[in-house]
Each structure stands twice: as structure tokens, then as C-alpha cells.
Amino acid sequence: LQIFINWKLNHSFYNRTMLQSTGHPVYYHKSIRKKAQIHRVANKSLPGSVHLNKSEKIQLINIAKATLICLHRETEPFTYADPAEIIRFDLERGLTVVLYGMSKERRLSIESYIGYLAFKNNIPVAYGGGWIFGHRCQFGINILPPFRGGESAFLFYQLLRVYKQYFGVERFVVKPYQFGKNNKEALKSGAFWFYYKGGFRPVDDAVKKKASVEWEKINNSSSYRTPITVLKKFIASNLQLTFKENTFPHYDAAELSKYITAFINDQFHGKRDIALTLCSRKTKTQLGIQSIKSWSRYEQKAFNEWSLIAQAFLNIENWSSGTKEKFIQLIKAKGDAPEKIFIRRLQQHKEFWIDTEKKLSH
């Protein structure tokens, strides 16, 4: 398209020098902690969030956008950030983690995409996000180049601590791109071992076994380096770290999306608009809802989207009235409540997980 952009770097704020948060006392290092124990860090009680006024929240959104502009990058939780969804935690050793939820019209239909920007001594040092679905979170981290090495592991574990305790995440998943798939930089840096040292393991058993053999070679020789050809074999599997084994789901939210697409193709000849109309009507009847006209437009949008899920996966007619009411409140939360409320309600809706598991297992 040859769209050219001219940007004059003379703004008083949009430059790296001015990209600073405020409020967290400067931490002066007596030593650098290159090693950290993930369970000790992640399970340490999380302090309460910092109270922020609206102007402070908008300032943090601007900092996040400008940080990525300087890197020629973009991420939706920053671009479409909702000031009401900005949460800040001031942690140990000068570290601050700010969470970014998206505006209601930009929220994902099934999972919750929550971004973050991490500061060290009020300077941005890392960004990324988590796609939260139940107790499962697909997680991504990008440490800014000047701050790699050093206390990277401690920083990473603190981020997991925030998502674990604030959102109730118990299973973290890392996609292959993060450690090498179509990512030469990650391969060359041996990013796979960064996650492995933290307790992440390949989901695929064959890859898990190969990694275990390679890890033994590393431990037996301080000069040994894993060849790129071997690291490429590891990108055939996701990595995961599970804090509790009896958590759900084990599958990605994308599996629900694929099933719904197949459901529409099979039951409605691929016509999504007809599927939405008929599924919405049937779901209202099953839940005992006369009308959703009094609902907010975001709640109505969520209801229409979740009616597809209801008809593709759920046996609502067998639910109790209390379970149905919880499902109604779950849908409303997806549309017009803070994302944290939706995340927690979805985690607690046992019948939803039982029914979806049955469908997907078939």
C-alpha cells in the first residue's frame, strides 16, 4: 500500500526519556538475584492494588502506548485500554506491574485478554499479556532489550504471581513462538531453557522426554550448549506450568471456537446470522428470559455470542434454576462488568466445565 508515516520526535512526553511512572520508591541494589524460586515468589501473598485516579490511569495508558511505539509494535490491551480496567501493583525490589483490560466493545468473546506493563524503578522494562480462560492462562512475556539478563527470572515469576493471585490462574501455558517457532531471536537466546528452569515442561510427552535428556547434558557439562537443531525440535509442543493439578480447562479456548464453527456449518449450513438468531431465541427460553431489551448493549452482545456456546455445548435444560441464574450473571459480567468478575464467575461455574468437557471429549 506504500503508506508512509512521518513522526516528529519533539513531543514533551512521547519519547523514551519521559516514559516513567511515579510513586514507587527507587530500589538500590546491593546484589543481583539471577536465580529465583518460582513457587516461593508466585505463592507469596500479593499486596493490595494501588489506588489510582482517572488521570493517573490515563497516564499509564499513554506510557504503555508510547513504550511500544518506540519499539514499532502494538498490542490490543494497550491500544484499546479501558481506564476503568487499569490495576497497579507495587512489588518488591522496585518492581511495579500494571494490568490493562480492554474496552467493553473490544473484549474477546470467550477468553479474557489482559495485558501488562512492568516497571523497574518506574522505568518500563517488560510488556506482554495473558489470555485467561478458566484457571488456564496462555502467557507471553517480552523483556525490553536493555533489561534482559539480570533479574529476568525474578521479574517473570512476579508477573505469574500477579496473574495467579489476582485472577485465580493455576495453569500457565507458553506457545512455541515464545521460545523459537518462527522466532530466530528466541532460538539463538535459548529461550526454551528460560521457561524450563522455571518449571515449565512440554505438554507433548515425546518432546518432554527429549528435553529431559538434553537438560541432563547441560547439567553434566558447564561448557555444553544445546544446538539450534535440537531446540527446533522442542517447538513442536506448548510449555505449561501447573500450580494445581485439579484445575480446568486443559484445552485452549480456541478449541471451543473451532467446535462452534463446525456446529454452525453442520446445523445452519455455515450461516452465522441465522445461527445467532435461533440460538439466542432457544437460550432465552431455556434460561427463562422473557427479553434482554433492558440489558446494556454490551450485555446483549455477550448474550448473543454466548448463546452459540450454550447451544453447541451446554445441557441447560438439565440445570437447576440456581445454576441457570449463575449463567445469566456470568454472561452479563462478560459484557458489562470488570473482566476479573467474569473470570472468577466462569471459574466457579462447574456445570459449564462439565458440559463442555463432555462435548470436546467426544
Side-chain angles (χ1 to χ4, degrees):
L1 295 176
Q2 295 192 31
I3 299 173
F4 299 100
I5 298 174
N6 183 38
W7 182 21
K8 294 183 179 180
L9 302 178
N10 59 356
H11 195 279
S12 60
F13 176 77
Y14 288 100
N15 57 75
R16 288 180 176 176
T17 303
M18 300 302 294
L19 292 184
Q20 298 182 39
S21 178
T22 58
H24 201 322
V26 173
Y27 178 82
Y28 296 94
H29 286 259
K30 294 181 180 179
S31 61
I32 300 295
R33 294 183 182 177
K34 289 197 172 185
K35 295 183 179 180
Q37 295 182 1
I38 190 165
H39 287 278
R40 179 177 293 179
V41 174
N43 290 320
K44 185 176 181 180
S45 180
L46 188 69
S49 60
V50 177
H51 175 74
L52 300 169
N53 59 41
K54 187 173 181 179
S55 63
E56 290 171 327
K57 292 180 179 181
I58 292 174
Q59 172 79 345
L60 287 169
I61 292 173
N62 286 335
I63 290 173
K65 290 179 179 179
T67 298
L68 292 204
I69 284 172
C70 291
L71 296 169
H72 301 164
R73 296 180 184 178
E74 181 200 21
T75 184
E76 288 195 340
F78 293 173
T79 302
Y80 303 110
D82 181 353
E85 294 278 326
I86 303 300
I87 307 294
R88 170 175 170 163
F89 293 96
D90 286 347
L91 307 176
E92 300 85 356
R93 300 176 74 79
L95 181 64
T96 294
V97 174
V98 181
L99 301 174
Y100 295 77
M102 289 194 283
S103 58
K104 294 169 184 175
E105 61 267 19
R106 300 296 304 195
R107 290 179 179 177
L108 302 183
S109 299
I110 301 176
E111 56 202 329
S112 299
Y113 185 14
I114 309 295
Y116 66 82
L117 185 63
F119 297 81
K120 183 61 177 278
N121 286 340
N122 301 313
I123 303 296
V125 295
Y127 77 94
W131 290 259
I132 303 172
F133 180 52
H135 292 112
R136 186 182 190 275
C137 178
Q138 179 188 320
F139 198 79
I141 180 171
N142 296 274
I143 298 176
L144 305 188
F147 306 101
R148 293 172 185 171
E151 296 193 346
S152 294
F154 180 75
L155 166 62
F156 180 42
Y157 303 164
Q158 289 284 14
L159 291 167
L160 299 187
R161 172 193 182 192
V162 171
Y163 278 73
K164 179 181 185 297
Q165 296 190 39
Y166 189 70
F167 294 116
V169 173
E170 297 293 351
R171 185 188 306 276
F172 289 92
V173 177
V174 176
K175 296 286 187 175
Y177 174 80
Q178 292 287 321
F179 51 91
K181 186 175 182 179
N182 301 320
N183 188 344
K184 292 182 180 180
E185 184 181 359
L187 277 175
K188 291 180 179 179
S189 66
F192 176 87
W193 298 120
F194 174 76
Y195 296 103
Y196 199 90
K197 289 175 183 177
F200 282 80
R201 294 293 182 267
V203 176
D204 182 271
D205 288 337
V207 177
K208 186 176 182 179
K209 187 175 181 180
K210 291 177 183 177
S212 178
V213 171
E214 190 66 16
W215 184 241
E216 188 174 346
K217 292 179 183 179
I218 292 173
N219 288 328
N220 290 336
S221 175
S222 59
S223 61
Y224 179 77
R225 293 293 180 270
T226 304
I228 296 294
T229 53
V230 175
L231 290 173
K232 285 182 177 179
K233 295 179 181 179
F234 298 158
I235 63 176
S237 170
N238 290 341
L239 295 176
Q240 76 172 10
L241 172 67
T242 303
F243 286 94
K244 288 184 179 179
E245 290 298 332
N246 60 342
T247 55
F248 43 83
H250 297 280
Y251 50 86
D252 195 296
E255 295 302 313
L256 269 68
S257 296
K258 292 176 184 177
Y259 191 96
I260 291 171
T261 298
F263 169 75
I264 294 173
N265 289 336
D266 181 53
Q267 300 293 322
F268 304 97
H269 305 290
K271 297 179 180 179
R272 185 180 176 85
D273 54 343
I274 295 177
L276 281 168
T277 299
L278 296 181
C279 288
S280 177
R281 186 182 303 164
K282 188 173 182 180
T283 304
K284 286 176 189 174
T285 301
Q286 291 175 334
L287 292 174
I289 298 173
Q290 296 297 320
S291 172
I292 60 172
K293 290 182 179 179
S294 62
W295 293 21
S296 74
R297 65 187 180 100
Y298 301 117
E299 290 172 339
Q300 291 182 35
K301 178 176 179 287
F303 181 84
N304 289 329
E305 291 172 341
W306 275 68
S307 68
L308 293 174
I309 297 173
Q311 298 310 312
F313 291 96
L314 309 179
N315 297 309
I316 296 177
E317 59 274 9
N318 296 327
W319 290 359
S320 67
S321 58
T323 300
K324 292 179 181 180
E325 179 59 30
K326 288 180 181 179
F327 190 63
I328 293 172
Q329 295 307 315
L330 164 67
I331 294 173
K332 284 188 171 184
K334 183 57 175 173
D336 213 4
E339 284 269 39
K340 180 186 177 182
I341 294 178
F342 164 75
I343 291 168
R344 291 293 192 175
R345 286 181 179 173
L346 182 58
Q347 290 170 348
Q348 295 164 6
H349 202 290
K350 294 181 180 179
E351 287 77 7
F352 172 86
W353 298 110
I354 291 171
D355 287 353
T356 52
E357 184 76 38
K358 285 180 181 178
K359 285 286 186 178
L360 291 175
S361 63
H362 293 144

